Amino acid sequence: MKTAFITGATSGFGEAIAYQLASENYRLILNGRRTDRLKELKEKIEAMEQTEVFLLPFDVRNRDEVKTQIESLPEAWKTIDVLINNAGLAVGLQAIHEGDIDDWERMIDTNVKGLLYVTRAISPGMVLRKKGHIINIGSIAGKEVYPNGNVYCGTKHAVDALNKAMRIDMVAHGIKVSAIHPGLAETEFSVVRFKGDEKRAKSVYEGYTPLFAEDIAELCSFILSRPDHVVINDLVVTPKAQANSTIRVNES
Ligand code: NDP
Ligand code: 8X3
């Protein structure tokens, strides 16, 4: 039975990936900051599937906490086969001269530094075992930039670069590295971006069918289920109504 470690499993993609991989008999180590949600998820998954869930709540921005929490995993949970670097967020949507620097720090600390801290703690074990698969959740915002997306796009371009860099560093150790770059997907992403403004968040997904978290979970499953000799490097996925970061049509 393989073990997958998922960051940001309390909602959206991370939660859907947890259900998907549980249904495929992975044992799961689930991370996020909201422990109540993690506990609920563990109960639901263990009731539905023949698998085990270990909860490891921490804030990926806290360098010391990331290291000590991952080091504290019981022996039976230390062999991590799959790391899904998913925790991330956008905060704010403002022109560069009007942006809130605290928002910028949150995005950079979570999306870039947090992903690095977790990868630094988990990848040495994969290298030792010469086995493992890292999936980085990037974004279409890591492939293109769009008005007022400045710093979020910057962080996701960094994830794109790190995904390529990790694959170069890991190839000699037999570890696969893949990325999924989704376009517009209805999760809690926009509620977080617009700081709890549910109405504004909902309006982002009106007039067309967006991606759903389950779509991304299925892609994860596809990437992980390729034969050993095959690596999906990079996967960009949008809703049918979206051509790129700036062109999106209404569907009637
Ligand atoms: P959600 O807001 O639904 O989920 C984000 C998850 O990240 C939550 O579980 C949250 O958990 C976790 N998280 C955020 N900050 C931290 C932190 N500091 N430490 C630990 N966990 C954290 O959004 P999505 O599911 O949509 O987002 C998942 C990833 O997908 C992100 O990297 C996002 O940038 C990316 N993405 C999203 C797209 C979209 O349109 N939805 C499109 C492209 C990419 P908690 O708050 O409990 O800590
Ligand atoms: C989320 C997709 O287009 O809102 O990464 O940046 S987008």
Side-chain angles (χ1 to χ4, degrees), residues 82-227:
V82 172
L83 165 61
I84 314 279
N85 274 323
N86 165 73
L89 76 182
V91 201
L93 188 67
Q94 287 162 303
I96 203 84
H97 62 291
E98 294 169 334
D100 181 330
I101 294 178
D102 287 337
D103 293 347
W104 297 356
E105 306 267 25
R106 269 181 74 191
M107 290 187 274
I108 294 165
D109 289 351
T110 310
N111 302 355
V112 183
K113 292 168 72 178
L115 178 144
L116 284 170
Y117 298 155
V118 173
T119 304
R120 182 65 184 83
I122 292 177
S123 57
M126 292 180 167
V127 169
L128 267 181
R129 293 184 296 275
K130 294 208 158 291
K131 203 165 156 245
H133 198 153
I134 300 172
I135 300 184
N136 295 304
I137 305 296
S139 169
I140 195 169
K143 298 291 186 182
E144 305 165 45
V145 289
Y146 54 86
N148 303 326
N150 42 63
V151 176
Y152 179 67
C153 294
T155 65
K156 289 298 182 176
H157 274 69
V159 173
D160 188 34
L162 289 169
N163 180 61
K164 292 176 196 155
M166 282 182 203
R167 196 163 41 248
I168 292 169
D169 294 348
M170 293 289 132
V171 70
H173 302 285
I175 294 157
K176 299 188 189 186
V177 180
S178 309
I180 305 176
H181 298 279
L184 291 155
E186 187 163 12
T187 61
E188 293 179 14
F189 177 83
S190 290
V191 178
V192 173
R193 167 169 256 175
F194 300 127
K195 303 179 181 180
D197 184 341
E198 303 261 358
K199 202 169 158 216
R200 189 172 176 198
K202 202 153 185 39
S203 73
V204 174
Y205 310 107
E206 275 165 7
Y208 68 103
T209 305
L211 294 171
F212 300 109
E214 291 71 22
D215 298 319
I216 306 310
E218 282 181 10
L219 292 176
C220 248
S221 165
F222 178 76
I223 289 172
L224 291 171
S225 60
R226 292 312 83 208

